[in-house]
């Protein structure tokens, strides 16, 4: 089971490593120490939120704004966790609690494709190995990025900042392909963020754009369900 879990997590590891290294380099450029960069990956383990957090730290945003923005951005994990726990009813609570920490968009997608493992003997080891493979690659990549931050030329590290936007666009495009209104919601959120940034700090503008963008999306997507 462990070997099968590692095999399923290997493609995720290959995808995580370069992104984690980029996060580490950007964190170092934002003034974070290697310890802080690595600890954020150890304790948070949420790529999009960490990129956003580094960006907000670089802008001088306060801790409360970063915490609220992270909470809003990661709210989808409540839904993912409920869905995952429903799929793996066959494994005990002692597995579900630690496994819930390892859920990301990628591990959730792969684990959801193998609900039958929960019914097999020692099925918890499969999901644990899958998530630990992804988790360890993210933490190690973050550490390497933090170390390389001093070595990478500033011109190159500045260009790596585009990774944040590329990552969000990469997450957005598949959803827009399925439903164009998701793209419209993203545009509304960007316009709110841009407008609000004139009257409040950038951090609170991000929080306001995220929250109001989500509220705007409720009637838009409900209208689609009725159709």
């Amino acid at each position: 089971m462990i070997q099968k879990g590692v095999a399923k997590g290997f493609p995720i590891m290959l995808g995580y490593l370069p992104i984690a290294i980029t996060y580490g380099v950007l964190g170092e450029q934002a003034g974070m120490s290697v310890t802080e960069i690595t600890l954020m990956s150890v304790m948070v383990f949420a790529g999009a939120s960490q990129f956003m957090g580094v960006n907000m730290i670089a802008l001088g945003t306060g801790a409360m704004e970063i915490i609220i923005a992270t909470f809003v951005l990661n709210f989808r994990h409540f839904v993912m966790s409920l869905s995952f726990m429903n799929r793996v009813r066959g494994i005990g609570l002692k597995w579900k609690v630690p496994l819930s920490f390892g859920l990301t968009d990628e591990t959730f997608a792969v684990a959801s494709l193998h609900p039958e493992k929960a019914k097999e003997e020692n099925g918890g080891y499969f999901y644990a190995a899958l998530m630990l493979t992804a988790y360890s690659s993210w933490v190690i990549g973050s550490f390497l990025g933090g170390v390389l931050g001093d070595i990478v030329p500033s011109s190159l590290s500045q260009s790596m900042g585009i990774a944040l936007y590329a990552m969000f666009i990469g997450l957005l495009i598949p959803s827009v392909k399925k439903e164009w209104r998701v793209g419209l919601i993203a545009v509304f959120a960007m316009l709110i963020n841009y407008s609000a940034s004139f009257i409040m700090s950038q951090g609170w503008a991000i929080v306001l754009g995220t929250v109001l963008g989500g509220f705007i999306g409720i009637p838009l997507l409900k209208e689609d369900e009725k159709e």
Side-chain angles (χ1 to χ4, degrees):
M1 279 295 176
I2 293 176
Q3 191 174 2
K4 291 179 181 176
V6 172
K8 294 297 179 184
F10 187 72
I12 300 177
M13 181 188 76
L14 294 179
Y16 272 7
L17 271 175
I19 299 175
I21 290 173
T22 302
Y23 151 74
V25 171
L26 294 177
E28 200 278 338
Q29 297 292 326
M32 297 172 67
S33 66
V34 175
T35 303
E36 290 169 338
I37 291 167
T38 309
L39 276 179
M40 183 186 278
S41 288
V42 170
M43 294 188 287
V44 179
F45 187 39
S49 297
Q50 290 181 233
F51 271 96
M52 183 185 67
V54 165
N55 191 41
M56 294 176 80
I57 289 171
L59 292 170
T61 306
M64 185 56 65
E65 294 152 88
I66 296 174
I67 291 170
I68 293 175
T70 301
F71 177 78
V72 172
L73 186 61
N74 281 340
F75 199 81
R76 69 188 187 285
H77 283 256
F78 286 110
V79 180
M80 286 165 52
S81 297
L82 288 172
S83 174
F84 179 67
M85 293 305 142
N86 189 46
R87 289 171 184 266
V88 295
R89 287 180 179 174
I91 63 174
L93 186 62
K94 68 175 183 179
W95 283 107
K96 291 179 181 177
V97 173
L99 287 178
S100 62
F101 176 75
L103 276 180
T104 63
D105 296 323
E106 294 77 15
T107 58
F108 170 75
V110 175
S112 297
L113 293 175
H114 302 280
E116 76 284 354
K117 298 296 182 187
K119 299 174 184 174
E120 299 178 15
E121 187 178 359
N122 297 323
Y125 287 105
F126 171 82
Y127 300 108
L130 162 68
M131 293 176 182
L132 277 174
T133 302
Y135 177 71
S136 57
S137 65
W138 182 258
V139 173
I140 292 170
S142 301
F143 171 77
L144 290 175
V147 173
L148 291 172
D150 282 331
I151 304 171
V152 175
S154 59
S155 57
L156 178 59
S157 63
Q158 286 172 6
S159 65
M160 292 172 75
I162 198 173
L164 171 65
Y165 307 105
M167 185 174 175
F168 279 114
I169 291 172
L171 291 171
L172 181 63
I173 285 179
S175 299
V176 175
K177 282 184 175 179
K178 292 180 182 176
E179 174 51 68
W180 65 270
R181 289 186 179 88
V182 174
L184 187 62
I185 294 167
V187 171
F188 275 127
M190 285 189 286
L191 290 175
I192 293 169
N193 173 40
Y194 177 73
S195 303
S197 64
F198 289 105
I199 55 175
M200 60 181 68
S201 69
Q202 186 64 49
W204 285 115
I206 292 173
V207 173
L208 186 67
T210 307
V211 173
L212 291 184
F215 277 116
I216 290 171
I218 293 173
L220 282 176
L221 296 180
K222 272 187 177 178
E223 182 182 338
D224 179 60
E225 288 177 0
K226 288 177 183 177
E227 293 174 355

